[in-house]
C-alpha cells in the first residue's frame, strides 16, 4: 500500500477493494486470509485529516505476523519532533514546515502519542524483504524510497535514513527521479517497491514499482498485489480516489494528459 498520509477514510475504502483483506473500524484490526500479507510503504502520517485513527490502526496491528509497516520520512520527522518536545518540555515546533504536520496533534493526545512512539521505535521498519517459498532469492524489496542497493538490508543509522528519506549521491548528475532510476536499474537484483515520489498512476518499469499516487494531496491511494504464477511474478493494481483532501496545485500541474504517468521532477542538491 502506498503513502496513506493520514487519509483514514480513503484507506478504509481501499481495504474494501483488496481481495483477502477485511477491516474492522471498531477494533481497528486488519484481517487477512491465509497466504495474504500486507505491507505499508511508509508516510502514514502528515498532510491528511485523520492521524489519530491512523496511529491507532497502526498500533493495533503492530503484532500481526503478516502485516508490516515501513517508516517514511514523514514518520521519522513526526517522531523526531515529538521526542524533542518531550525532552525539552515544549510543544512541537512545526512553524517552519511547508506541509501540514501532525506532530502537534499527535503530541496533544497523550495516549496516541505513546502509541505512536512505541509503534515507530519498535514496529516501523526501514525495509521489508519478501522471500518466495521456493527460493532463497528475495521476490521483492520494499522501502519508502528508491534507495541504492548499497543500503538494502542494512540497519545502521545512515542506511535507515536513506531507506526513508531520498538523497542523490554527490556524483549523481541527474536532476529527476526518472533519470536516477534508469541509471540504477541495472544494479537491482529483484523487484523494488517504493513510495515517497508521487505519481498520478502506479508505475512499473522493471525492476521498480512506484506506488505513491498522491494520497493526501488530492490524488489517489493505491496498492499493488504481487503474486507468482508459472514461476513468474505477476501483479494487480487497486486504487481509490482521495476525496478527503484538496488537490495540490503542484501535483495537478505535473499530470501529463498524454502519458498519464509522469514523475515529479526533484531538484538536485549537493
Amino acid at each position: 500500500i502506498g503513502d496513506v498520509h493520514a487519509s483514514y477514510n480513503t484507506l478504509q475504502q481501499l481495504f474494501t477493494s483488496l481481495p483477502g483483506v477485511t477491516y474492522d473500524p471498531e477494533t481497528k484490526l486488519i484481517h487477512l486470509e491465509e497466504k495474504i500479507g500486507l505491507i505499508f510503504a511508509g508516510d502514514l502520517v502528515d498532510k491528511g485529516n485523520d492521524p489519530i485513527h491512523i496511529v491507532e490502526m497502526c498500533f493495533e496491528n503492530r503484532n500481526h505476523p503478516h502485516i508490516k509497516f515501513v517508516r517514511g520520512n514523514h514518520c521519522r520527522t513526526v517522531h523526531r519532533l515529538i521526542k524533542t518536545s518531550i525532552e525539552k518540555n515544549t510543544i512541537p515546533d512545526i512553524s517552519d514546515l511547508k506541509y501540514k504536520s501532525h506532530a502537534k496533534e499527535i503530541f496533544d493526545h497523550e495516549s496516541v502519542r505513546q502509541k505512536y512512539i512505541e509503534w515507530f521505535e519498535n514496529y516501523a521498519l526501514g525495509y521489508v524483504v519478501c522471500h518466495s517459498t521456493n527460493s532463497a532469492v528475495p521476490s521483492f524489496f520494499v522501502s519508502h524510497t528508491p534507495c541504492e542497493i548499497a543500503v538494502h538490508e542494512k540497519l545502521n543509522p545512515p542506511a535507515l535514513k536513506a531507506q526513508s528519506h531520498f538523497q542523490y549521491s554527490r556524483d549523481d548528475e541527474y536532476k529527476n527521479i526518472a533519470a536516477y532510476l534508469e541509471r540504477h536499474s541495472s544494479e537491482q537484483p529483484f523487484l523494488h517497491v517504493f513510495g515517497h515520489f508521487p505519481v498520478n498512476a502506479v508505475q512499473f518499469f522493471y525492476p521498480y514499482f512506484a506506488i505513491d499516487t498522491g494520497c493526501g494531496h488530492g490524488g489517489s491511494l493505491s496498492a499493488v498485489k504481487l503474486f507468482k504464477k508459472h514461476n513468474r511474478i505477476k501483479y494487480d493494481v487497486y486504487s481509490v480516489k482521495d476525496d478527503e483532501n484538496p488537490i495540490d496545485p503542484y501535483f495537478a500541474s505535473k499530470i501529463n494528459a498524454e502519458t498519464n504517468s509522469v514523475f515529479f521532477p526533484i531538484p538536485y542538491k549537493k
Side-chain angles (χ1 to χ4, degrees):
I1 296 179
D3 300 26
V4 176
H5 281 302
S7 301
Y8 181 63
N9 290 335
T10 305
L11 178 60
Q12 290 187 82
Q13 294 178 48
L14 182 65
F15 281 147
T16 64
S17 70
L18 298 180
V21 179
T22 56
Y23 179 69
D24 184 346
E26 295 296 324
T27 63
K28 306 293 190 300
L29 292 175
I30 303 169
H31 302 281
L32 304 178
E33 292 182 1
E34 189 178 359
K35 296 184 179 181
I36 297 291
L38 197 63
I39 303 171
F40 291 85
D43 278 359
L44 286 107
V45 294
D46 281 350
K47 298 186 179 182
N49 297 316
D50 199 345
I52 304 303
H53 282 120
I54 288 293
V55 172
E56 290 174 342
M57 184 273 295
C58 292
F59 185 81
E60 293 302 325
N61 293 279
R62 67 194 186 282
N63 287 314
H64 195 297
H66 301 300
I67 297 176
K68 305 298 180 185
F69 301 92
V70 171
R71 60 177 63 174
N73 56 304
H74 285 272
C75 302
R76 287 172 56 94
T77 300
V78 167
H79 176 262
R80 175 178 56 79
L81 289 170
I82 289 175
K83 293 287 284 189
T84 300
S85 295
I86 292 174
E87 292 169 0
K88 295 184 178 181
N89 196 27
T90 60
I91 61 173
D93 183 7
I94 58 176
S95 59
D96 291 336
L97 299 178
K98 298 179 180 180
Y99 54 84
K100 181 180 179 181
S101 173
H102 292 140
K104 186 178 184 304
E105 188 171 350
I106 294 173
F107 180 86
D108 288 342
H109 293 75
E110 184 175 356
S111 63
V112 177
R113 179 206 317 164
Q114 296 304 321
K115 289 178 179 178
Y116 185 81
I117 292 173
E118 181 179 346
W119 169 79
F120 180 86
E121 294 182 352
N122 299 305
Y123 300 96
L125 308 172
Y127 64 88
V128 174
V129 177
C130 295
H131 297 267
S132 63
T133 58
N134 60 358
S135 174
V137 178
S139 296
F140 56 92
F141 179 88
V142 182
S143 61
H144 183 58
T145 70
C147 53
E148 296 182 13
I149 194 171
V151 300
H152 284 197
E153 302 190 55
K154 301 290 179 61
L155 294 174
N156 57 72
L160 289 173
K161 182 177 181 180
Q163 292 157 11
S164 65
H165 188 81
F166 185 83
Q167 290 180 313
Y168 290 104
S169 302
R170 289 182 178 273
D171 62 346
D172 200 328
E173 71 272 23
Y174 297 103
K175 296 184 179 181
N176 65 72
I177 183 59
Y180 170 88
L181 294 177
E182 183 176 1
R183 173 180 177 176
H184 292 281
S185 62
S186 61
E187 303 171 1
Q188 298 291 340
F190 41 80
L191 294 178
H192 188 170
V193 183
F194 65 90
H196 190 60
F197 290 105
V199 292
N200 56 307
V202 169
Q203 299 299 300
F204 175 53
F205 36 99
Y206 189 84
Y208 294 104
F209 273 101
I211 64 172
D212 175 8
T213 50
C215 189
H217 35 179
S220 61
L221 179 61
S222 297
V224 174
K225 179 184 177 181
L226 298 176
F227 56 97
K228 295 187 75 174
K229 187 175 183 180
H230 303 307
N231 207 35
R232 299 187 65 181
I233 292 180
K234 304 288 185 178
Y235 66 94
D236 293 327
V237 176
Y238 305 86
S239 293
V240 174
K241 182 72 175 69
D242 171 21
D243 292 324
E244 298 183 61
N245 305 288
I247 296 177
D248 184 283
Y250 182 69
F251 180 82
S253 71
K254 296 301 176 183
I255 295 177
N256 187 313
E258 294 182 0
T259 64
N260 198 38
S261 57
V262 174
F263 277 95
F264 280 16
I266 308 299
Y268 169 58
K269 296 181 180 179
K270 288 189 177 181

